[in-house]
Every structure is written in structure tokens, then in C-alpha cells.
Amino acid sequence: MSFYETDSEIKGYFYTRNGVTPWYTPPHFHGSIELLFCMQGEQELTVGGETHTLRAGDSCFIDSYTIHSLKPSTNTSLYVFLGDKHYFEPIFSSFGGCIPPAFFRFENEPFLSFLHDLGKEKYQNEVGRYEMNEGICKLLIAEIAKSVPFEKRKTNRQNDLVSSVLRHAAEHLSDNLSLKTLAKTFGYSHEHFSRILHRHLGENWNRYVNRLRVRSAHDTLVKNPSTSVLDVAMQCGFESPNTFYRAYRQEYGTPPRQR
């Protein structure tokens, strides 16, 4: 998973699941709308710079292009609905442009289970699938609105800044991406810049950059198996083989070429 989830930008995209989050979901964003509903256990996540732990009955609304990440969880029943913003925007327009708050209570699990099952139905054509997805989104937002007060969208300048930083990092993996260098590039003091990034990413910046570089290297090696591992590592910004192998094992659990 990279900083920007392009798969969810496909027109008519819709995804639903129920289960645990067995792996760490790194900080990322996308143009789709995402809603999470915790029915059992606990789920720690960071959304728009706020870190929360969802417990039974707690829910989360993630607006388009809001940076978010999820920690691994066990024994957690978590419903996820993620869909093209074009499903949702006409609905929000009917509420005067208002949207659900980032965190709220919602405990109707039978209803969520019903919608989840609908989302898994098979269709013979894209029109039928699109209409069903649209209907699920309408039912979901309407049910939430029964008990949750909606609110006006708020501008989050820090979220926009961090989005720009993540884009810059992903597009300049071989460059110097130290906090000191980036703070100067974006016109902030090192201390203030570091606080903003940590608040939104929820992890060490160097760890995040190594993750980006490792995943880029991994993708390259998968597509070009005959390419030199060390050449790819250096192209992705690693300064030594040991740093690369350590970061790769930390991310994937095995050395490169053994996956």
C-alpha cells in the first residue's frame, strides 16, 4: 500500500468487508469515502491527525483525501464500507453539504450485516452493480443520520500539507528525504514540521520513508526478476545494502527474492 490508493479511484469503485485488520495499514489517502464500524474488540486508527481506539459501537467516517492508518487488531469485528465519492456526494448534498462527524456511535450490527451481504451479490452487468452500490450508500447514510448529527466540512490545512509531503516523498525516493531537508523545502521549522508529520502519520518519519522505498523496490523486483537487488535498492534511495535488507525483512518478513 502506498501513500495514495489509486485502485479506489476507479469509477464506481465499491468495497465492503467484515473481519479483523491483521496487518498494519500505513498512512495513506484516496478520493473515496470510507466508513468503519467496530462491533467487537478494539481497533486503533489515526484519521486526519487524530488517533482513536474504536470499541464496540464506535464508528469512523473518513472523508476524501483524509490521511488515515490502522494498527493491526485481533478478535475484532470491523465492518468496512469504502466507495467512490460519486455515490456519496449527491446524498451529502441533500443534507445541505453536511457529512457525518469523524467519530460517532452506531450499534445496528444486523443492518450492517445486511448491507455487507448486499455488497457481495453478483451482477451480470455494471449498471446493476452501480445501482446496488448506490442504494447501499443511500441506506447506510440515511440510517446513520437517524441518530448522528451531521456537520459542515472543515478545511484541514495540516492534512493538505502532509498529503503534499507524501506525494513529494513518493516521487523523489532517491533524494534526501530527511526531516531537516523537507522542513526547509516546505518552509517550516524542523520541530514544527516533525510534530505535524508525527501527528498525522502516527509513526517515525524514517520508518515511513523506508517503507515507501522498500515497497517500490519490491514492486520493481517483482516486475523485473532479473534486475540486481542492490541496483534497485540504490535507485530507491537506500544508501547501504544492510539498511535495505533490514528494512525489507521488517516489511515483508523475508529477504528479497524469497517471497
Side-chain angles (χ1 to χ4, degrees):
M1 177 174 294
S2 66
F3 76 101
Y4 180 47
E5 289 300 286
T6 55
D7 288 349
S8 64
E9 296 302 314
I10 299 171
K11 183 174 175 55
Y13 181 86
F14 189 79
Y15 169 81
T16 177
R17 74 172 176 86
N18 176 28
V20 299
T21 306
W23 52 82
Y24 175 57
T25 305
H28 66 288
F29 59 90
H30 46 67
S32 293
I33 300 292
E34 186 168 357
L35 292 113
L36 310 177
F37 303 88
C38 184
M39 295 292 110
Q40 176 183 307
E42 296 184 350
Q43 175 65 63
E44 183 178 339
L45 72 164
T46 299
V47 179
E50 296 183 39
T51 299
H52 285 254
T53 298
L54 301 184
R55 297 179 175 85
D58 291 337
S59 305
C60 177
F61 171 81
I62 303 173
D63 203 1
S64 300
Y65 301 107
T66 299
I67 298 168
H68 56 288
S69 60
L70 286 80
K71 295 288 180 66
S73 65
T74 57
N75 301 318
T76 300
S77 175
L78 186 74
Y79 285 90
V80 178
F81 295 88
L82 192 160
D84 187 340
K85 64 181 178 181
H86 294 101
Y87 290 131
F88 289 93
E89 291 305 330
I91 307 172
F92 296 149
S93 293
S94 68
F95 286 92
C98 293
I99 58 176
F103 300 96
F104 58 94
R105 295 285 295 175
F106 189 89
E107 303 177 69
N108 191 345
E109 182 170 8
F111 178 74
L112 295 174
S113 178
F114 168 70
L115 293 185
H116 173 264
D117 291 342
L118 284 180
K120 297 301 182 182
E121 291 289 338
K122 303 295 184 181
Y123 280 82
Q124 297 299 318
N125 58 72
E126 290 302 313
V127 174
R129 165 51 57 196
Y130 189 95
E131 291 180 348
M132 175 55 76
N133 294 344
E134 188 176 46
I136 292 172
C137 295
K138 288 180 178 179
L139 289 171
L140 182 58
I141 298 302
E143 189 67 19
I144 293 172
K146 287 182 180 179
S147 57
V148 178
F150 284 19
E151 57 187 34
K152 291 288 187 182
R153 275 192 169 109
K154 301 173 183 176
T155 300
N156 190 329
R157 294 183 179 177
Q158 286 191 1
N159 184 86
D160 294 342
L161 167 64
V162 178
S163 296
S164 298
V165 174
L166 299 192
R167 285 193 181 95
H168 177 87
E171 293 168 0
H172 300 84
L173 288 179
S174 62
D175 292 355
N176 181 348
L177 296 177
S178 68
L179 279 175
K180 182 177 180 180
T181 299
L182 289 174
K184 184 176 181 180
T185 299
F186 284 88
Y188 287 82
S189 69
H190 177 273
E191 294 75 15
H192 185 54
F193 191 71
S194 178
R195 284 196 298 270
I196 292 174
L197 286 179
H198 190 270
R199 179 186 176 195
H200 283 263
L201 301 184
E203 69 174 340
N204 177 274
W205 174 249
N206 290 335
R207 174 75 180 95
Y208 179 78
V209 171
N210 279 343
R211 188 192 305 281
L212 278 184
R213 286 171 167 161
V214 161
R215 291 187 176 223
S216 178
H218 172 74
D219 290 345
T220 300
L221 292 172
V222 169
K223 294 175 182 177
N224 304 283
S226 62
T227 307
S228 164
V229 172
L230 292 183
D231 285 348
V232 171
M234 297 304 166
Q235 290 168 9
C236 291
F238 287 98
E239 297 181 353
S240 74
N242 288 340
T243 302
F244 171 68
Y245 279 101
R246 186 167 55 249
Y248 194 98
R249 185 181 289 276
Q250 185 175 10
E251 185 68 15
Y252 292 106
T254 65
R257 305 292 198 201
Q258 292 186 15
R259 290 184 61 77

